[in-house]
Structures are given as C-alpha cells and as structure tokens.
Amino acid sequence: MAAAADDHGLTFRQDYFGDPAAWAALVSLLENTFGIDVSIQDRFGGPDPTSMPFGYFDANGVCAANFSTFSMPMMIDGRLVKAAGFQSGAVRPQWRGRGLYRDLMNRAFGWCDDQGFELGLLLTDKPAMYEPYGFTILPQQKFVGAPPLEMRLAGTVRELSLDNTGDIALVRRVLRERTPVSSVFAVMAQAEMFLLNGFFDPDVRLTYLDQFEAVVAWKEDETSFQLLDIAGKTIPPLAAILQALDQRPGRVEVCFPPDRLDWQGKPETFESDISLMVRGSPAGLSGPVMLSPMAEF
Ligand SMILES: CC(C)(COP(=O)(O)OP(=O)(O)OC[C@H]1O[C@@H](n2cnc3c(N)ncnc32)[C@H](O)[C@@H]1OP(=O)(O)O)[C@@H](O)C(=O)NCCC(=O)NCCS
C-alpha cells in the first residue's frame, strides 16, 4: 500500500487531527471538493474525537487525498451494534485516477476490520465505487400518514438557535444523554453530525420540550410536517410533539422508524441521489429503515 505514496511524492498520515495545520489542510480539501466549510465544527466542540482520518499530504502540507472513519454506534432491532461511518472521501483533481483513493479505502476498511466493527455505513452518489469492498445499498423509507389525535401537554417549549452559545451547550448536553430515537434503526451517540446538519440546513428547526428534556428537529411546508429526529432523555409521542409545536398538518412524514412515537406511518420510498450503503449484515437489518437526516454524514 505504501506504493501510492512513493509513486507520487506524497506522505501518508493517519490520525492527524491533533495537528492544527493538517486539520486546516483537510478543511481546505473538503471546501474545495464539496463547497462546505467543516471548520464550523470548531464552534460546536471540534471534530468527532472518534474520527480516524487517513490522508496523503504533499511537501507543502496540502492535503491531496483523504478518507475518514468514525465510530457510530447504532441501535438496530433492539441491539447495540458497533458500527463505523465513513466520510470526507476526496482527492484533489490533479491527483485523481492514480489509485490514491483505492489505497485509502483499503486502509480505512482494513483498520475498521481490525477494530472489530461489525457494520460499516456510508452515504454516496457513487455506489459502484464501494461495491467491490462489500458495500450494498440499503433502501431507505420514510414513514407517512395522518397526524394522531391531539393530546394535552404540560411544560414549556422553546425554539433554539445554533448561533447562540447557550443553546449549543443545551443541544450538546441533550445529545450526550439521548436515548435512541428508534429501537429499529437509529444512532446511539453522535453529536457532531446533528449539530452540523442543523447548522447547514436553514430550514431545520430545533425546539426544546422541557417536559421530555428533548430537542425536536423538524421542518414544515404547505402540505406536511417533517419530523427529522428527536434528541432526548425520553422520546415524546408524536401527538405531544405536534401539540407542543402548535402544528396541525394534513400529513406527517417521519424520517426514521417511528416505533417510539405511539403512531404508525406507511413506509414510502425515500427518493434521493445519495444512497445509504452498508457493509456487514447484523441481524434485524431487514425492516423498512431510514437514517435520520440529522445523522447524515
Ligand atoms: C471519487 C474520488 C474520491 C476518486 O478518487 P481517485 O483517487 O481518482 O480514485 P482511484 O484512482 O483510487 O480509484 C479507485 C477506484 O474507484 C473507481 N472510481 C473512481 N472514480 C469513480 C467514480 N466517479 N465512480 C465510480 N467508480 C470510480 C476507480 O475506477 C477505481 O476502481 P479500481 O480500484 O477497480 O481500479 C475523486 O474522484 C473525488 O474526490 N471526487 C469528488 C468527490 C467525491 O465524489 N468523493 C466521493 C464521495 S462518496
């Protein structure tokens, strides 16, 4: 595997986030490749401490190529599954087509196998690239239906802003203490992506329900109410959420299996150019599932 570095005069580095210059070089690679500025994470407590980046750097410290993995424990069919996510895969245009990414994929997947991860997850618009490594597409389905009957609610609600440091601290605390939003398919713990996704999508609203010590991530349009995620010590029933948010939609879309919401929706294909792919086959990964958009990475 060292051949890729030797051939191109690049230096391979792993686990380099402790070096601020190398982190800045990755931020630049991702900004140039995807047009997103992940340095905003510094405002939310920094990058995921479980991240394990694999990268190639040139003599000037430019990050030519990168592929990262991070720990993403999942609740699947009532069982804790040791899962890893893969993200930040990019090669600068002048370095493409030379096998650098193949090298980094081999290193990252091999490292995860050595660590005993039983499931790998990634999101991609290039699924064919990952099939040779054992990844298959996991079709996603959202859950759609009429709203439940209204219910009375005690407690107060407050809209949060990720521009407010107090609100960021509250969201981080709730994320640390959260219970999985579904026992069928949900992340157990992963704060960084929730915060980034909430920040990058201006249509996402975050509302705190103090009675449940829960932050509800949601959206609305003319026809429907979209429930994206709930980070909370307890999971409120859907009826309580709609009451708290003063929403009376004609239709509800839940973007994760709704088994903890005291409501049932009909699974409906989630259309997207981005595929969720999995490597490994933990028991129970058969029913209709959707990864919460707040956990996308
Ligand atoms: C996709 C990307 C990372 C590939 O990097 P690269 O260094 O040129 O890839 P490699 O030369 O190591 O090729 C690795 C393998 O992927 C395949 N591949 C490369 N680009 C591909 C694409 N767009 N679609 C499908 N397969 C692709 C290659 O054919 C090669 O297959 P092989 O091992 O069977 O020969 C690079 O083009 C890139 O940064 N693109 C923009 C960002 C992006 O799409 N990132 C991936 C996010 S999921």
Side-chain angles (χ1 to χ4, degrees):
M1 282 194 288
D6 296 345
D7 287 353
H8 308 304
L10 299 172
T11 302
F12 171 73
R13 291 183 69 179
Q14 177 178 337
D15 197 10
Y16 60 77
F17 281 179
D19 174 355
W23 163 244
L26 174 65
V27 168
S28 163
L29 172 67
L30 299 180
E31 183 146 30
N32 294 156
T33 308
F34 301 111
I36 52 161
D37 177 9
V38 297
S39 71
I40 196 75
Q41 282 186 299
D42 295 342
R43 195 191 291 184
F44 301 138
D48 184 336
T50 72
S51 275
M52 177 56 68
F54 301 83
Y56 278 107
F57 293 78
D58 77 6
N60 298 316
V62 171
C63 186
N66 185 79
F67 191 44
S68 300
T69 183
F70 61 99
S71 173
M72 187 177 166
M74 298 283 298
M75 174 67 81
I76 298 178
D77 201 23
R79 188 172 72 87
L80 170 62
V81 172
K82 186 177 174 185
F86 298 93
Q87 65 178 178
S88 306
V91 177
R92 288 194 180 274
Q94 64 271 38
W95 296 105
R96 289 180 190 167
R98 307 177 190 206
L100 282 179
Y101 199 58
R102 184 190 311 127
D103 176 277
L104 294 176
M105 286 191 288
N106 277 314
R107 288 179 188 268
F109 301 145
W111 185 84
C112 283
D113 290 345
D114 291 346
Q115 299 293 313
F117 285 100
E118 61 180 300
L119 180 70
L121 295 150
L122 57 80
L123 291 156
T124 183
D125 62 348
K126 302 176 180 65
M129 195 163 65
Y130 299 100
E131 281 165 2
Y133 301 89
F135 281 88
T136 54
I137 292 176
L138 183 62
Q140 297 200 81
Q141 287 173 301
K142 59 189 178 183
F143 299 81
V144 179
L149 293 175
E150 290 183 17
M151 71 184 282
R152 294 187 67 78
L153 183 75
T156 59
V157 300
R158 187 163 70 81
E159 182 130 8
L160 305 177
S161 164
L162 293 180
D163 289 322
N164 177 306
T165 48
D167 287 355
I168 292 171
L170 171 67
V171 176
R172 291 185 66 194
R173 177 176 61 74
V174 169
L175 284 166
R176 267 197 309 277
E177 298 170 350
R178 79 183 300 184
T179 192
V181 71
S182 157
S183 59
V184 174
F185 190 77
V187 290
M188 296 279 296
Q190 217 290 321
E192 291 73 14
M193 297 321 301
F194 186 102
L195 287 157
L196 264 193
N197 289 320
F199 186 81
F200 281 141
D201 185 344
D203 293 333
V204 172
R205 297 175 66 175
L206 300 176
T207 307
Y208 184 64
L209 277 56
D210 73 342
Q211 186 190 351
F212 300 95
E213 293 185 65
V215 175
V216 177
W218 60 287
K219 286 184 185 181
E220 62 175 329
D221 61 25
E222 303 79 49
T223 56
S224 62
F225 170 86
Q226 275 184 297
L227 185 56
L228 308 177
D229 203 353
I230 304 159
K233 270 194 178 168
T234 55
I235 303 298
L238 181 59
I241 292 173
L242 293 173
Q243 183 71 22
L245 302 180
D246 198 21
Q247 295 285 309
R248 291 173 192 81
R251 168 188 148 102
V252 175
E253 288 184 12
V254 176
C255 299
F256 52 84
D259 50 288
R260 292 190 162 164
L261 294 181
D262 199 13
W263 172 85
Q264 285 187 337
K266 193 166 149 288
E268 206 172 85
T269 300
F270 173 65
E271 307 282 357
S272 172
D273 298 338
I274 305 294
S275 299
L276 174 63
M277 299 191 83
V278 296
R279 180 174 183 255
S281 50
L285 196 53
S286 54
V289 296
M290 180 164 173
L291 182 69
S292 159
M294 299 302 284
E296 282 179 11
F297 52 90

